[in-house]
Amino acid sequence: MERVYIKNLRSMKTFAKKFAKTLSGGQIVLLRGDLGAGKTTFCQFVAKTLKIDEPITSPTFTLLKDYEGRVLNMSHFDLYRITNASEVQEFGFDDYIFNTPKDRVVFVEWPDNVGEDYYQGVKTTNITIEKVDDNARYVTLEEK
Ligand SMILES: Nc1ncnc2c1ncn2[C@@H]1O[C@H](COP(=O)(O)OP(=O)(O)OP(=O)(O)O)[C@@H](O)[C@H]1O
Ligand SMILES: [Mg+2]
């Protein structure tokens, strides 16, 4: 487990870029943290390194968006509005988690809204962002 202090948005960009370079496809990245912690912002910085040209939006109302990148493709889920696992069946969340395409990295905001047990037996990268003040954050990185 790694826990780093991030002093501002610029340091978050540097951290996200470094993280993005470790990705090779097939990873599932679970992003935790309060509203406004910086989960989507982190994904946006990662997307730049993966050479995704389309802007990463906050998909709160769409739940899922797939992006094509020239380094790796990305899928971005925001389960904020989900209250249980059955609600994600219709858009194939299962496939992304249990049969992750190797040319793709899957990012999930609010992953525990489908229940923490959902990811049992699946290799995940767990990132938690804690807000310190307007600019500073603590980021915890843990492979499970
Ligand atoms: N060091 C930092 N790291 C990340 N975001 C930061 C930092 N400093 C300031 N911010 C700002 O904090 C906000 C984070 O918003 P963001 O939408 O990324 O949060 P979120 O965790 O995705 O929230 P939600 O749960 O609502 O989706 C942005 O406006 C961003 O510019
Ligand atoms: Mg978000």
Side-chain angles (χ1 to χ4, degrees), residues 39-40 58 78 109:
K39 302 179 292 297
T40 302
S58 212
D78 188 330
E109 294 188 34

Side-chain angles (χ1 to χ4, degrees), residues 8-9 12 34-41 109-110 134-135 137:
N8 55 30
L9 197 59
M12 186 61 106
D34 292 344
L35 284 168
K39 302 179 292 297
T40 302
T41 301
E109 294 188 34
W110 299 99
D134 280 355
N135 301 305
R137 304 288 188 266

Side-chain angles (χ1 to χ4, degrees), residues 67-111:
Y67 296 92
E68 305 308 309
R70 294 191 301 284
V71 174
L72 278 175
N73 299 322
M74 176 192 275
S75 295
H76 183 209
F77 286 90
D78 188 330
L79 305 183
Y80 184 66
R81 291 157 62 85
I82 294 290
T83 55
N84 64 73
S86 68
E87 290 171 32
V88 295
Q89 296 315 317
E90 61 194 79
F91 55 90
F93 188 60
D94 262 26
D95 272 350
Y96 285 88
I97 302 302
F98 300 108
N99 194 16
T100 313
K102 293 291 171 259
D103 62 346
R104 188 166 286 285
V105 181
V106 177
F107 286 83
V108 188
E109 294 188 34
W110 299 99

Side-chain angles (χ1 to χ4, degrees), residues 1-69:
M1 190 175 84
E2 184 190 351
R3 188 167 189 250
V4 290
Y5 178 75
I6 302 283
K7 70 172 187 294
N8 55 30
L9 197 59
R10 195 183 162 80
S11 318
M12 186 61 106
K13 185 178 184 172
T14 306
F15 181 83
K17 203 171 176 176
K18 207 176 109 198
F19 173 75
K21 285 185 177 153
T22 69
L23 299 170
S24 54
Q27 285 86 6
I28 299 161
V29 183
L30 306 182
L31 289 161
R32 297 185 175 90
D34 292 344
L35 284 168
K39 302 179 292 297
T40 302
T41 301
F42 180 82
C43 290
Q44 289 166 338
F45 289 146
V46 169
K48 289 236 166 66
T49 299
L50 302 185
K51 302 236 178 285
I52 293 165
D53 294 330
E54 201 184 334
I56 308 290
T57 53
S58 212
T60 300
F61 295 95
T62 52
L63 297 167
L64 157 67
K65 192 142 170 35
D66 288 324
Y67 296 92
E68 305 308 309

